[in-house]
């Protein structure tokens, strides 16, 4: 890509994006798209491109002996759901266009186009299993690198900069009991599960009192519910997800859940603490300057979901923000699509940042 005309590089980046969106890549099945990404990195002049032990697609560029390292960490996997890949008007439709192959493709393209400052090493990573509770790719990256700066590839809009994400805790609830007659005195297992959910909601309401900002609230949701019977045993299962605010006491929540349902089996997993990066860091300033240079107005954002920032941020403790094209309201929806002009503009912003980022 280096040295090509502006029009041609835009065409190449858009073609690459459409190709990787067309390759299915559910969590744990990312190998084919990783191979395509590595091939493109090689074609665009990266010094090295490879697939690591976690299945991540990794591209390296370096300008002289490195005195600093910049990591661009996106993810390749998507949630389920087939959306026909097509262009309508100026938008590309398909699963992953927004979350988060669009931001990752922008990272790969910008990493190829940027004239890196002297003594800089750039690492571009397409991570595995971000959409799963495992975050396998980010966890390996957290141990393998120690960057001075990190950008997380998630949709913020070309003029948005995401400073933080809420934490997460998942809970599996299971209750089984000998079947009784519906006219009998015993409470049905499904009713007990509903009562437990109501207690969870009440706990969260008490916690959220006088916390007007959504980012500071404890937000529960039912991810899955199922009841059944084999004629002898009645069963009910719930999967509950909690979005956690900063500095939240997870053990307190676990104790409260167990107090309200001693008879059920409760399993907690997928815990990630919230992570928040302030505006007073070089990455935020560099992105803001690049956005303003293109007549945009930088918009700082805090997200109620989680991302790989929750995994690597506490480990790396470096300036870190999330950035990428796309409207996050379209994440995981049947209408997921990305404005290609916004995609082009985000690449320009990223090139500017990589070329001009200062400590």
């Amino acid at each position: 890509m280096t040295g090509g005309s502006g029009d041609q590089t835009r065409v190449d980046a858009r073609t690459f994006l459409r190709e990787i969106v067309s390759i299915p890549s559910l969590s744990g099945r990312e190998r084919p798209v990783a191979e395509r990404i590595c091939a493109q990195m090689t074609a665009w002049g990266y010094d090295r491109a490879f697939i690591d032990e976690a299945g991540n697609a990794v591209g390296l560029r370096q300008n002289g002996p490195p005195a600093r390292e910049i990591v661009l960490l996106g993810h390749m996997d998507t949630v389920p759901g087939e959306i026909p890949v097509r262009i309508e008007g100026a938008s590309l439709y398909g699963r992953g266009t927004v979350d988060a192959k669009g931001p990752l493709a922008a990272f790969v393209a910008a990493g190829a186009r940027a004239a890196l400052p002297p003594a800089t090493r750039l690492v571009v990573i397409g991570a595995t299993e971000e959409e799963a509770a495992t975050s396998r790719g980010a966890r390996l990256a957290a141990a393998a690198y120690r960057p001075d700066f990190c950008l997380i590839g998630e949709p913020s809009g070309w003029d948005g900069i995401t400073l933080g994400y809420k934490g997460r805790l998942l809970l599996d609830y299971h209750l089984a009991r000998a079947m009784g007659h519906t006219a009998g005195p015993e409470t049905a297992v499904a009713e007990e599960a509903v009562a437990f959910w109501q207690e969870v909601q009440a706990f969260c309401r008490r916690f959220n009192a006088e916390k007007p900002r959504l980012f500071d609230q404890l937000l529960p949701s039912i991810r899955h519910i199922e009841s059944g019977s084999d004629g002898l045993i009645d069963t009910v299962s719930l999967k509950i997800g909690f979005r956690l605010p900063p500095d939240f006491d997870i053990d307190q929540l676990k104790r409260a859940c167990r107090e309200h349902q001693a008879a059920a089996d409760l399993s907690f997993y997928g815990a990630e603490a919230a992570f928040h990066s302030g505006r007073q860091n070089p990455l935020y300033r560099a992105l803001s300057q690049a956005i303003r240079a293109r007549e945009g107005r930088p918009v700082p954002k805090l997200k109620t979901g989680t991302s790989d920032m929750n995994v690597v941020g506490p480990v790396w403790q470096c300036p870190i923000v999330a950035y990428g094209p796309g409207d996050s309201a379209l994440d995981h929806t049947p209408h997921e699509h990305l404005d290609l002009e916004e995609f082009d503009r985000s690449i320009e912003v990223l090139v500017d940042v990589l070329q001009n980022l200062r400590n």
Side-chain angles (χ1 to χ4, degrees):
M1 180 176 283
T2 304
S5 69
D7 288 344
Q8 185 58 49
T9 57
R10 279 192 291 272
V11 170
D12 290 346
R14 289 183 178 191
T15 299
F16 169 57
L17 171 61
R18 182 167 185 169
E19 288 177 356
I20 64 172
V21 169
S22 299
I23 300 173
S25 55
L26 297 177
S27 299
R29 305 177 189 175
E30 301 97 338
R31 183 78 186 197
V33 77
E35 292 174 349
R36 179 66 190 86
I37 291 168
C38 286
Q40 192 64 63
M41 288 172 169
T42 299
W44 279 347
Y46 279 71
D47 299 323
R48 186 183 174 207
F50 61 96
I51 297 174
D52 68 17
E53 295 88 347
N56 297 330
V58 182
L60 305 177
R61 284 192 61 206
Q62 190 165 311
N63 185 3
R68 65 174 185 170
E69 183 173 83
I70 303 170
V71 169
L72 307 184
L73 174 62
H75 70 89
M76 304 178 291
D77 61 321
T78 72
V79 297
E82 292 186 16
I83 301 172
V85 179
R86 65 197 188 278
I87 292 177
E88 292 185 6
S91 295
L92 174 65
Y93 283 74
R95 178 58 81 217
T97 51
V98 174
D99 189 15
K101 291 179 178 179
L104 177 58
F107 278 4
V108 175
R113 284 174 51 183
L116 298 179
T120 298
R121 182 167 101 134
L122 175 66
V123 184
V124 180
I125 304 172
T128 56
E129 298 183 22
E130 191 274 347
E131 295 290 0
T134 52
S135 294
R136 182 183 179 212
R139 295 188 193 285
L140 185 141
Y145 304 97
R146 283 294 180 271
D148 300 283
F149 306 95
C150 175
L151 276 168
I152 301 293
E154 292 286 350
S156 61
W158 83 272
D159 55 355
I161 306 168
T162 302
L163 295 171
Y165 288 87
K166 292 175 76 77
R168 177 194 63 212
L169 180 68
L170 299 174
L171 164 61
D172 284 345
Y173 167 109
H174 182 75
L175 180 61
R177 179 182 295 153
M179 185 176 178
H181 197 284
T182 55
E186 287 193 349
T187 303
V189 293
E191 292 173 329
E192 291 208 23
V194 170
F196 174 74
W197 168 243
Q198 291 172 335
E199 291 289 351
V200 166
Q201 289 181 302
F203 177 89
C204 294
R205 282 195 298 269
R206 291 192 295 271
F207 179 88
N208 295 336
E210 301 181 3
K211 293 182 176 68
R213 193 171 71 156
L214 205 60
F215 194 73
D216 297 323
Q217 296 178 7
L218 174 61
L219 305 176
S221 64
I222 294 179
R223 306 284 186 87
H224 178 77
I225 182 168
E226 182 178 8
S227 63
S229 177
D230 64 3
L232 298 174
I233 302 296
D234 291 337
T235 61
V236 62
S237 297
L238 289 175
K239 182 186 293 293
I240 298 175
F242 296 93
R243 295 300 185 181
L244 311 179
D247 303 317
F248 181 74
D249 185 350
I250 292 179
D251 289 335
Q252 179 189 8
L253 174 60
K254 290 180 178 180
R255 286 194 299 270
C257 290
R258 291 190 174 108
E259 287 171 4
H260 291 300
Q261 189 54 265
D265 292 326
L266 304 183
S267 177
F268 297 92
Y269 60 101
E272 296 289 354
F275 190 85
H276 185 194
S277 178
R279 297 192 203 183
Q280 301 306 313
N281 74 66
L283 270 176
Y284 184 84
R285 291 195 296 271
L287 280 164
S288 296
Q289 183 177 353
I291 290 166
R292 289 193 183 98
R294 286 153 184 82
E295 301 183 351
R297 181 179 179 181
V299 180
K301 299 182 177 183
L302 295 173
K303 296 292 185 69
T304 56
T306 56
S307 78
D308 280 338
M309 183 188 290
N310 300 76
V311 176
V312 300
V315 177
W316 289 342
Q317 291 293 314
C318 66
I320 182 170
V321 299
Y323 178 79
D327 179 357
S328 60
L330 297 171
D331 290 4
H332 302 188
T333 72
H335 315 292
E336 187 174 4
H337 64 276
L338 179 64
D339 184 306
L340 292 171
E341 293 179 2
E342 179 181 345
F343 174 67
D344 297 339
R345 197 175 294 118
S346 72
I347 295 173
E348 294 173 0
V349 168
L350 288 164
V351 169
D352 195 336
V353 168
L354 292 174
Q355 294 181 161
N356 298 294
L357 181 62
R358 298 291 181 263
N359 294 340

